[in-house]
């Protein structure tokens, strides 16, 4: 590609990717694979723990209760996670199966069933007795059912980001870490400029994947985003992790009659690594600068009590707890689109606590949008205008 605008000055880069977390590293990978000259800028180190893409595990599933419209993206994302594993030799994905638990009319169960029916996805519906028999770690009340999906499981977020960065760099992308962007602007003659403490960079196109920094970097969009402090807990069960190994314990999301959800994973971090679980939502509002990274005893106690009522062999001893951030939109759907006023800019944010499983396909979409202005993937529901009321 040659640069089109800015007379005289040939730009060094075709595309700048701002933020190299889950989505930015995927975009850098896909853009570099297509032959673009890519500059990636990241505030921190590769696969750091200050944003939204750390903590060792992320749920992947296909019978998606958040909306049947996500399913084609998930099918493609699975293919791309497998490609990442093949091309880098890293262990990224573990298909240990997944259980969506709750009353039959809960969002987790009814929504997953709907998506499974629309897309003809393999699944089983289990009653409480069958759940106890097949997955004895769970103690469901008799009105609880479970949608079991064999294809569900988990991916390793840090390994995913590292794999995507590795492929991007191998394909020629220049990746600069510890170099936060101080600002960006669309140039009057076309193209973009990004400023950092080291200097300024020009390119034909800019892809902005800022995670929890979206309110700052995309302030001009006026998106109603809420950044939330979220907690993750790892417990060591008194009887050891044996019953929680991935051969016999699936990932799960469990919704109670108030609509509150918890989720958890099998024991994937060895005998001492514990078993991870968390509340799905209910985080306090924060910013990346103000987030309180301390996890308090009363927060541990609250989750341990809730968890113990549902998986009685847990919680046992706390191994560790950590914070993370969601960047949530009011309807909990993503924002992925060309910038409404700057055609040389593409934005991806507001992943609302469920974006990781889409990271590779979001990378593909962002590469499509940056290079051609359009994509064949179904992204209509991610338009920013639905949130801002603009035409
Ligand atoms: C506790 C927790 C559990 C989750 N569980 C799941 C799950 O099970 N399944 C699932 O699908 N999703 C899950 N998610 C959501 C998912 O992890 C996120 O949607 C996803 O990681 C968001 O990726 P991102 O690229 O938008 O953000 P990030 O990965 O945080 O990347 C944004 C990057 O931009 C960089 N950046 C910001 N500003 C600048 C700047 N000015 N200059 C340079 N770089 C900058 C940041 O440093 C960061 O690296 C979970 C999230 C959390 C917090």
């Amino acid at each position: 590609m040659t640069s089109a605008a800015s007379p005289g000055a040939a730009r060094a880069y075709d595309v700048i990717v701002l933020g190299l977390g889950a989505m930015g590293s995927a975009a850098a990978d896909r853009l570099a694979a297509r032959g673009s000259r890519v500059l990636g800028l990241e505030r921190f180190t590769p696969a750091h723990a200050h944003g939204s893409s750390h903590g060792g595990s992320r749920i992947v599933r296909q019978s998606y209760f958040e909306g049947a419209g996500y399913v084609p993206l998930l099918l493609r994302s699975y293919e791309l996670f497998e490609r990442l594993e093949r091309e880098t030799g890293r262990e990224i994905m573990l298909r240990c199966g997944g259980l969506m638990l709750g009353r039959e009319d809960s969002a987790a169960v009814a929504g997953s069933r709907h998506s499974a029916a629309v897309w003809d996805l393999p699944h089983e519906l289990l009653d409480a007795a069958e759940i106890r028999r097949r997955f004895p770690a769970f103690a469901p009340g008799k009105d609880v059912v479970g949608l079991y999906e064999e294809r569900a499981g988990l991916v390793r977020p840090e390994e995913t980001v590292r794999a995507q960065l590795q492929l991007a760099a191998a394909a020629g992308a220049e990746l600069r870490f510890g170099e936060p962007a101080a600002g960006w602007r669309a140039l009057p003659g076309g193209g973009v400029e990004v400023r950092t403490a080291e200097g300024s960079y020009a390119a034909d196109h800019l892809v902005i994947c800022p995670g929890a920094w979206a309110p700052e970097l995309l302030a001009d969009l006026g998106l109603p985003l809420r950044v939330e402090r979220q907690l993750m807990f790892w417990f060591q069960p008194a009887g050891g992790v044996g019953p929680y190994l991935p051969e016999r314990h699936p990932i799960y999301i469990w919704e109670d009659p108030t609509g509150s959800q918890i989720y958890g994973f099998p024991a994937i971090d060895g005998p001492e690594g514990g078993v991870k679980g968390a509340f799905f939502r209910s985080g306090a509002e924060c910013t990346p600068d103000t987030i309180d990274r301390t996890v308090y005893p009363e927060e541990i106690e609250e989750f341990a009590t809730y968890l113990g009522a549902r998986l009685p062999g847990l919680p046992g001893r706390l191994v560790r707890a950590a914070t993370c951030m969601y960047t949530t939109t009011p309807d909990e759907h993503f924002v992925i689109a060309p910038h409404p006023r700057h055609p040389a800019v593409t934005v991806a944010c507001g992943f609302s606590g469920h974006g990781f499983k889409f990271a590779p396909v979001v990378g593909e979409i962002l590469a499509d949008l940056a290079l051609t202005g359009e994509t064949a993937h179904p992204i209509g529901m991610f338009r920013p205008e639905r949130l801002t009321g603009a035409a």
Side-chain angles (χ1 to χ4, degrees):
M1 263 176 87
T2 52
S3 57
S6 191
R11 298 195 187 98
Y13 305 101
D14 297 319
V15 186
I16 297 174
V17 179
L18 201 173
L20 296 174
M23 309 306 167
S25 62
D29 165 19
R30 291 297 81 202
L31 284 161
R34 294 185 197 178
S36 293
R37 292 168 306 168
V38 175
L39 170 67
L41 291 173
E42 167 55 49
R43 177 188 294 273
F44 297 112
T45 52
H48 63 85
H50 309 292
S52 304
S53 301
H54 56 282
S57 52
R58 290 288 185 270
I59 288 177
V60 294
R61 53 197 160 89
Q62 294 186 345
S63 297
Y64 213 56
F65 63 76
E66 291 85 344
Y70 286 92
V71 175
L73 298 174
L74 288 164
L75 299 176
R76 179 62 178 151
S77 208
Y78 266 54
E79 289 174 5
L80 294 173
F81 274 119
E82 285 164 7
R83 179 192 61 84
L84 264 187
E85 286 192 314
R86 269 196 316 277
E87 291 186 4
T88 63
R90 293 175 185 268
E91 284 183 24
I92 290 174
M93 196 166 177
L94 179 66
R95 295 194 196 195
C96 53
L99 258 182
M100 300 298 116
L101 297 155
R103 289 204 310 221
E104 206 162 341
D105 62 353
S106 62
V109 173
S112 300
R113 245 178 130 179
H114 174 71
S115 280
V118 170
W119 291 96
D120 197 20
L121 300 172
H123 67 285
E124 296 170 72
L125 199 67
L126 313 179
D127 64 18
E130 188 65 3
I131 295 165
R132 287 169 184 266
R133 193 183 67 74
R134 284 179 52 183
F135 305 108
F138 299 94
K142 59 179 180 333
D143 62 342
V144 170
V145 297
L147 182 138
Y148 180 70
E149 181 176 48
E150 199 175 12
R151 289 184 189 168
L154 60 97
V155 291
R156 296 282 199 171
E158 293 88 346
E159 278 300 277
T160 304
V161 173
R162 282 190 205 105
Q164 291 174 159
L165 293 174
Q166 177 187 334
L167 292 182
E174 181 183 336
L175 306 177
R176 299 177 72 96
F177 295 93
E179 188 171 343
W184 62 270
R185 67 185 181 113
L187 297 171
V192 293
E193 182 187 72
V194 178
R195 280 178 297 106
T196 75
E198 319 272 312
S200 69
Y201 305 94
D204 292 341
H205 203 96
L206 173 63
V207 176
I208 306 183
C209 308
W213 286 261
E216 175 186 320
L217 279 160
L218 295 171
D220 65 319
L221 282 182
L223 294 170
L225 298 173
R226 180 184 146 96
V227 177
E228 292 174 16
R229 170 179 175 270
Q230 296 291 332
L231 305 177
M232 305 178 267
F233 304 94
W234 288 257
F235 289 104
Q236 181 68 12
V241 296
Y244 305 92
L245 292 173
E247 302 84 84
R248 51 193 84 108
H249 188 67
I251 62 94
Y252 62 91
I253 297 178
W254 192 329
E255 183 172 323
D256 74 17
T258 70
S260 168
Q261 296 176 337
I262 57 166
Y263 63 89
F265 296 84
I268 53 168
D269 296 318
E272 296 304 319
V275 183
K276 182 177 158 188
F279 284 115
F280 196 167
R281 302 206 171 270
S282 79
E285 189 158 7
C286 69
T287 72
D289 295 327
T290 63
I291 180 173
D292 185 349
R293 296 282 185 185
T294 305
V295 182
Y296 295 93
E298 53 276 22
E299 294 177 316
I300 298 164
E301 184 58 36
E302 182 195 9
F303 184 69
T305 304
Y306 193 99
L307 183 66
R310 289 159 181 79
L311 285 84
L314 290 169
R317 173 176 62 83
L318 184 82
V319 178
R320 77 181 177 105
T323 56
C324 182
M325 288 179 285
Y326 288 177
T327 308
T328 303
T329 63
D331 61 9
E332 293 170 5
H333 296 308
F334 313 153
V335 173
I336 308 174
H339 190 293
R341 282 181 306 285
H342 303 299
V345 180
T346 301
V347 302
C349 66
F351 288 95
S352 303
H354 64 116
F356 202 90
K357 60 184 83 60
F358 299 89
V361 72
V362 170
E364 189 164 82
I365 292 166
L366 294 174
D368 290 344
L369 293 176
L371 299 180
T372 71
E374 54 190 23
T375 181
H377 287 296
I379 60 164
M381 63 181 170
F382 305 141
R383 295 171 72 242
E385 292 82 358
R386 76 181 195 278
L387 302 172
T388 56

